[in-house]
Amino acid sequence: MDGYSAGRVLGPLAPYADGFVVELVERGYRPRSVGCQLELIAHLSRWLGDQGVEPGGLTPAMAERFLEVRREGGVSLRSWRALDPLVGYLRRLGIVPKLAASADSPVDGLLADYRDYLLRERGLTAGSVAHWERIARLFLAERTEPLEDALQRLSTAEVTGFVVAQCGPGGRSGASAKILTSGLRSLLRYLHLTGRVPIPLAQAVPRAAGWRLSSLPRALEAEQVQRLLASCDGSTVVGRRDLAILLLLARLGLRACEVARLGLDDIDWRAGELMIRGKGSTTERLPLPHEPGEALVSYLRDGRPRADFREVFLSVLAPLRPLSPAAVVGVVGYACDRAGMERVGPHRLRHTLASDLLRAGTPLAQIAPILRHASVATTAIYAKIDREALRALARPWPLAGGAA
């Protein structure tokens, strides 16, 4: 509590001020930010006292009235986002209710059940569940009558019409269309399983056009990879963290989600191995090469903030939190900016590793386990970049007059 005067907080929130400051410090807030949040809780506490309202009465309407007072006063921290740290702290203590804008709608209730089914019964990852839930919400939002009646009368024509509207001219195409149709089939199977839809409609979902392995993997040149790595300033916390991330992507071919999930307990320093948590809740062990291993040690010793999280990679700005897969994508994008390159995603580094292995003569059957592909057929797309090997298979083009 050194340097902070929580004693100036008067009113119904005064008993919680000390604990709030401690949490802010533990979550990595800088002294100036802690002081601003302390001013906010002091103002809110005085205002609640003037209104004769206890902390448990901090409803959405009351919170909005308080924020309006701050806006009229021309002070900072006057948005709903500004209240998040304080309200989150009070909610975890069970002091205030969730500040929801409105009661859950029938769609929200159904989606909550669907989300629970995907997590518990299907065993999907949180990322996959989020994709399927967005598609389900999009489809259910188009039901115009009461949801229960709309689902009981749901027809094949409505299902196909939705897909055509989403994937027709000017709409989704390729991989995005395939994700949408897969998510819609999943939702329809669940609705029929739970009796909300009387007839099975999953088979009525049209298949999105697509040709497996039709694209050509785009690898980076070795010089481009080195530029990305060299763009990380090893004298800074961000630089040490980003270098470790880029080396895991480039030398081990990890996916963004696998980097984000990597935990402190997943590193076996004695064996020199990493436990990788991949797609479909699978786990596999990979050797930890010297270069990314050194970068991890540098980050963990001199860069990673002290926090209770077990994930390896954390944000550097408060509130401290584990990096999401999207944040890992951002790390690669910012490295491209620093290197003066066109932005690429983490998967380009994965493609680069596979392409380099193939050019070095590594058989596809050995590349598949390195990339953690469930089937060698998925790895077969990289055969198309080995032009020298393919040239031997190409038949000569017949010349005019019949001569070959």
Side-chain angles (χ1 to χ4, degrees):
M1 292 298 298
D2 291 345
Y4 306 108
S5 178
R8 63 181 177 176
V9 179
L10 305 175
L13 295 180
Y16 313 108
D18 288 344
F20 181 48
V21 170
V22 170
E23 175 166 297
L24 291 173
V25 173
E26 290 177 347
R27 296 184 69 189
Y29 280 81
R30 297 181 184 276
R32 181 178 178 182
S33 297
V34 174
C36 291
Q37 286 289 330
L38 195 55
E39 185 276 330
L40 179 65
I41 188 175
H43 185 189
L44 178 58
S45 187
R46 292 195 307 272
W47 185 80
L48 288 174
D50 292 342
Q51 305 297 314
V53 176
E54 293 299 316
L58 186 59
T59 62
M62 291 295 293
E64 181 59 39
R65 286 175 56 191
F66 169 70
L67 291 174
E68 187 60 36
V69 170
R70 289 185 68 82
R71 295 185 195 110
E72 292 175 354
V75 296
S76 59
L77 298 182
R78 51 192 180 186
S79 67
W80 280 88
R81 184 176 180 180
L83 276 178
D84 281 347
L86 174 57
V87 171
Y89 170 71
L90 295 175
R91 280 186 57 202
R92 285 187 289 278
L93 294 179
I95 306 301
V96 302
K98 180 179 179 180
L99 295 185
S102 61
D104 288 346
S105 68
V107 170
D108 292 327
L110 191 156
L111 289 175
D113 294 341
Y114 179 50
R115 182 167 55 248
D116 186 67
Y117 161 77
L118 293 174
L119 288 169
R120 296 178 181 272
E121 302 296 330
R122 295 287 309 282
L124 299 186
T125 64
S128 296
V129 171
H131 278 306
W132 273 195
E133 186 180 349
R134 281 194 292 270
I135 294 167
R137 183 178 293 278
L138 184 64
F139 177 75
L140 295 173
E142 294 197 356
R143 306 309 105 201
T144 55
E145 54 187 322
L147 184 60
E148 185 176 346
D149 296 338
L151 294 179
Q152 286 292 316
R153 298 190 182 97
L154 192 62
S155 66
T156 300
E158 290 178 276
V159 172
T160 56
F162 172 78
V163 175
V164 169
Q166 290 290 321
C167 305
R172 301 169 186 250
S173 61
S176 179
K178 294 182 74 172
I179 291 174
L180 178 119
T181 53
S182 297
L184 183 56
R185 289 190 196 98
S186 172
L187 172 66
L188 292 172
R189 281 193 290 267
Y190 168 75
L191 294 175
H192 179 58
L193 178 69
T194 56
R196 291 179 171 91
V197 171
I199 57 176
L201 290 174
Q203 294 182 347
V205 179
R207 293 198 172 274
W211 292 267
R212 180 172 170 76
L213 308 182
S214 61
S215 60
L216 186 68
R218 298 173 59 195
L220 297 175
E221 298 295 333
E223 181 268 339
Q224 291 178 301
V225 175
Q226 285 305 121
R227 282 166 56 190
L228 288 178
L229 300 177
S231 74
C232 301
D233 184 355
S235 66
T236 66
V237 173
V238 173
R240 287 189 285 271
R241 182 199 66 185
D242 290 0
L243 179 61
I245 289 174
L246 290 171
L247 283 170
L248 289 175
L249 295 168
R251 305 297 189 239
L252 290 175
L254 299 192
R255 303 177 178 93
C257 62
E258 293 168 344
V259 172
R261 293 175 191 156
L262 185 65
L264 297 173
D265 302 319
D266 296 330
I267 308 175
D268 188 337
W269 295 106
R270 290 185 178 275
E273 293 181 337
L274 295 179
M275 177 73 76
I276 304 302
R277 305 180 186 280
K279 288 185 174 181
S281 301
T282 60
T283 57
E284 296 184 56
R285 289 188 175 275
L286 288 181
L288 177 60
H290 179 73
E291 191 179 13
E294 275 196 335
L296 277 172
V297 170
S298 176
Y299 168 64
L300 292 175
R301 282 182 175 173
D302 302 315
R304 186 180 184 274
R306 293 184 179 180
D308 293 335
F309 299 109
R310 300 305 296 169
E311 288 84 357
V312 170
F313 297 108
L314 305 180
S315 62
V316 295
L317 298 178
L320 295 179
R321 59 195 179 279
L323 292 189
S324 65
V328 174
V329 174
V331 167
V332 180
Y334 293 133
C336 292
D337 295 342
R338 294 193 301 267
M341 295 167 45
E342 178 185 354
R343 280 202 170 203
V344 299
H347 232 66
R348 287 286 289 277
L349 294 171
R350 183 174 167 85
H351 287 327
T352 301
L353 174 66
S355 302
D356 291 344
L357 290 172
L358 187 64
R359 293 192 183 99
T362 308
L364 288 175
Q366 294 180 23
I367 296 176
I370 294 174
L371 298 181
R372 297 166 309 287
H373 285 157
S375 170
V376 179
T378 304
T379 319
I381 189 173
Y382 293 102
K384 296 192 295 185
I385 66 174
D386 192 353
R387 293 180 174 85
E388 293 303 318
L390 291 175
R391 188 172 287 117
L393 303 177
R395 304 182 67 178
W397 189 260
L399 299 176

